């Protein structure tokens, strides 16, 4: 969920594409290049750290920041 973020339709697409690309890269790079094996493959909910950004941040950069936050939460969840 994104609170307080007003993005145009085009910016939403840019953010989503950047998020998918970066998260895929991070998961592929984890553990020396081997893909992270998520137990069960699906999660009903994942709490990720909040992402802070300044005014005028590009939608693609916001997507990358969100991907890093989600990735850190996935890794932490697998270690617990």
């Amino acid at each position: 969920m994104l609170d307080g973020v007003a993005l145009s339709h085009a910016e939403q697409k840019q953010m989503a594409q950047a998020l998918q690309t970066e998260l895929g890269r991070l998961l592929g790079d984890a553990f020396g290049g081997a893909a992270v094996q998520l137990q069960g493959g699906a999660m009903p909910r994942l709490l990720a750290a909040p992402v802070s950004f300044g005014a005028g941040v590009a939608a693609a950069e916001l997507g990358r920041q969100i991907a890093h936050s989600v990735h850190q939460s996935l890794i932490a969840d697998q270690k617990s």
Side-chain angles (χ1 to χ4, degrees):
M1 173 181 286
L2 298 176
D3 291 327
V5 180
L7 298 175
S8 69
H9 184 69
E11 289 171 322
Q12 289 175 19
K13 284 184 163 187
Q14 291 171 350
M15 185 205 57
Q17 181 62 47
L19 191 158
Q20 291 173 4
T21 300
E22 185 68 3
L23 188 56
R25 185 190 70 75
L26 291 168
L27 291 174
D29 287 350
F31 305 110
V36 174
Q37 298 298 316
L38 301 175
Q39 296 177 348
M43 301 174 127
R45 180 175 157 176
L46 178 71
L47 295 176
V51 174
S52 298
F53 55 93
V57 67
E61 179 58 27
L62 180 57
R64 286 187 290 274
Q65 289 179 23
I66 294 169
H68 281 268
S69 178
V70 169
H71 179 254
Q72 288 302 312
S73 296
L74 287 170
I75 297 302
D77 187 64
Q78 291 298 302
K79 291 179 180 178
S80 59

